[in-house]
Amino acid sequence: MNDMTPITTKPKDWETDQEVRWCPGCGDYAILKAVQRTMPELGARPENTVFVSGIGCSSRFPYYMETYGFHTIHGRAPAIATGVKLANPELDVWIITGDGDALSIGGNHTMHLLRRNLNCQVLLFNNEIYGLTKGQYSPTSRVGTRTPSTPLGSVDRPANPCAFALGSGARFVARGIDVHKNLVPVLKAAYAHQGAAFVEIFQNCIVYNDDVFAPFTEKAQAQGNQLWVEHGKPLLFAGGQKGLALDPERLTLKVVDVVDGDASGVVVHDQTNRGLAHMLVEMPFGPFPMALGVLYDDPAPTFDEAVVLQNAQASEGKRPDLQKLLSQGQTWMVDKAPHVI
């Protein structure tokens, strides 16, 4: 995040003249609008902002943001974004990716970006399917998912994006839902974090994987199955009638009933507690609610700061001398042109 004086913008200032081309009803539309609404509230500057994407439906995103942008190649957005940030550390860098782009061919790049802790925001649109290439199963598709590439049902155990991020050393991990009003506060928190901020966004693919998240996103199911965490507040859901407590024997979380508003036995969310974050992201949905919001936020020194400092220290007291650089080592001089027969 830069230190320049914020300017006043409106959501419209972040929209391009490009026709937004996703399938009608796609969750990407809602995420795009949420980001465009968020940017003015951050005081961000369009000319100081870069969106970098890989390949997939989500990766069309840079075309629709009135900022600098790179639509790169499959899985390599983290590598390009790292180069952008190191070349100009003052830029606000956002990475837009999908579950297939970031966790299959791009898994290695995503891991290294998170462990290095580059100061940027990573928005992973998770629809549990390969939408752009017509509905094949992805690394996050559930066991039994029938697709053109798994006609008998997938037998793969799916990847858990937030567990992957924590295991890679991420210092900020959050979850949101494409159409939920709380997505904007999550994006704000990611931007405020100094370091790699990883946000998984559950995004509905209306064509190839419609309503896969309905059990916790449908209005009728939301209250009982969504747990929006807040630092310093008890882990309550179902209108405050249920909560999460620690099972002292197994050292795991368990669902408990909250009677007469007494939440004394319910765990209080501490977003700096990495162990608690692991438990929240790995809770099996069904017996447990879906944990949403800022699950982990514990800043650490960033990769780009370390590189800038190292370069400054290495060049301190030295004067650039290109001729000296070219002449060092083994050199020779050609006095005259060779004789040609």
Side-chain angles (χ1 to χ4, degrees), residues 241-257:
Q241 297 179 17
K242 293 183 180 294
L244 297 181
L246 186 66
D247 184 333
E249 295 182 1
R250 302 183 63 195
L251 294 180
T252 58
L253 295 173
K254 63 179 180 179
V255 176
V256 296
D257 293 322

Side-chain angles (χ1 to χ4, degrees), residues 15-21 60 62-64 66:
E15 299 177 8
T16 69
D17 60 358
Q18 300 297 297
E19 178 188 359
V20 181
R21 298 182 64 183
R60 298 186 60 81
Y63 296 107
Y64 310 136
E66 189 59 50

Side-chain angles (χ1 to χ4, degrees), residues 15-178:
E15 299 177 8
T16 69
D17 60 358
Q18 300 297 297
E19 178 188 359
V20 181
R21 298 182 64 183
W22 286 308
C23 299
C26 176
D28 288 357
Y29 287 97
I31 301 173
L32 175 63
K33 286 301 181 184
V35 172
Q36 289 171 340
R37 289 199 309 271
T38 301
M39 303 307 280
E41 298 183 29
L42 299 175
R45 307 171 68 94
E47 72 276 14
N48 204 64
T49 305
V50 184
F51 281 83
V52 184
S53 66
I55 294 296
C57 296
S58 63
S59 294
R60 298 186 60 81
F61 210 90
Y63 296 107
Y64 310 136
M65 294 296 299
E66 189 59 50
T67 65
Y68 291 106
F70 287 88
H71 187 180
T72 69
I73 56 178
H74 207 190
R76 273 63 176 187
I80 302 299
T82 299
V84 170
K85 189 67 177 179
L86 293 183
N88 191 342
E90 294 302 312
L91 292 176
D92 291 334
V93 177
W94 297 73
I95 297 175
I96 305 296
T97 187
D99 47 302
D101 186 55
L103 300 178
S104 56
I105 192 170
N108 204 36
H109 292 278
T110 304
M111 176 188 72
H112 291 304
L113 178 124
L114 295 175
R115 73 167 179 83
R116 285 171 173 154
N117 199 31
L118 186 80
N119 192 15
C120 65
Q121 294 72 235
V122 182
L123 307 187
L124 186 149
F125 297 16
N126 183 11
N127 55 21
E128 297 188 2
I129 208 75
Y130 277 109
L132 185 66
T133 51
K134 306 303 182 285
Q136 299 87 349
Y137 84 115
S138 82
T140 58
S141 296
R142 304 172 195 187
V143 173
T145 300
R146 291 179 179 269
T147 74
S149 56
T150 54
L152 301 180
S154 172
V155 297
D156 278 5
R157 289 190 296 272
N160 180 328
C162 287
F164 172 88
L166 285 169
S168 298
R171 309 294 303 192
F172 180 101
V173 176
R175 278 187 183 141
I177 298 172
D178 51 10

Side-chain angles (χ1 to χ4, degrees), residues 121-327:
Q121 294 72 235
V122 182
L123 307 187
L124 186 149
F125 297 16
N126 183 11
N127 55 21
E128 297 188 2
I129 208 75
Y130 277 109
L132 185 66
T133 51
K134 306 303 182 285
Q136 299 87 349
Y137 84 115
S138 82
T140 58
S141 296
R142 304 172 195 187
V143 173
T145 300
R146 291 179 179 269
T147 74
S149 56
T150 54
L152 301 180
S154 172
V155 297
D156 278 5
R157 289 190 296 272
N160 180 328
C162 287
F164 172 88
L166 285 169
S168 298
R171 309 294 303 192
F172 180 101
V173 176
R175 278 187 183 141
I177 298 172
D178 51 10
V179 296
H180 201 286
K181 63 181 181 181
N182 285 355
L183 180 57
V184 169
V186 168
L187 297 175
K188 288 181 179 180
Y191 184 80
H193 176 84
Q194 292 296 297
F198 181 89
V199 182
E200 176 188 12
I201 305 174
F202 295 112
Q203 176 257 318
N204 188 49
C205 176
I206 196 169
V207 175
Y208 296 111
N209 212 15
D210 193 23
D211 289 337
V212 68
F213 304 120
F216 65 87
T217 59
E218 286 278 342
K219 188 174 182 179
Q221 310 289 334
Q223 187 178 64
N225 291 325
Q226 291 182 15
L227 167 59
W228 286 92
V229 303
E230 186 176 349
H231 184 62
K233 299 292 182 66
L235 296 174
L236 297 172
F237 63 103
Q241 297 179 17
K242 293 183 180 294
L244 297 181
L246 186 66
D247 184 333
E249 295 182 1
R250 302 183 63 195
L251 294 180
T252 58
L253 295 173
K254 63 179 180 179
V255 176
V256 296
D257 293 322
V258 176
V259 181
D260 297 328
D262 181 11
S264 56
V266 175
V267 174
V268 174
H269 183 50
D270 178 1
Q271 65 187 24
T272 68
N273 187 326
R274 192 178 192 84
L276 177 58
H278 271 288
M279 287 191 282
L280 288 171
V281 303
E282 293 174 354
M283 293 188 307
F285 178 73
F288 290 91
M290 181 59 66
L292 301 157
V294 179
L295 307 170
Y296 182 61
D297 185 358
D298 189 19
T302 67
F303 178 66
D304 40 299
E305 289 175 333
V307 170
V308 169
L309 177 61
Q310 185 181 65
N311 289 342
Q313 291 173 339
S315 61
E316 186 175 359
K318 298 179 180 178
R319 184 175 64 84
D321 189 335
L322 181 59
Q323 186 58 47
K324 182 180 179 181
L325 177 65
L326 294 175
S327 302

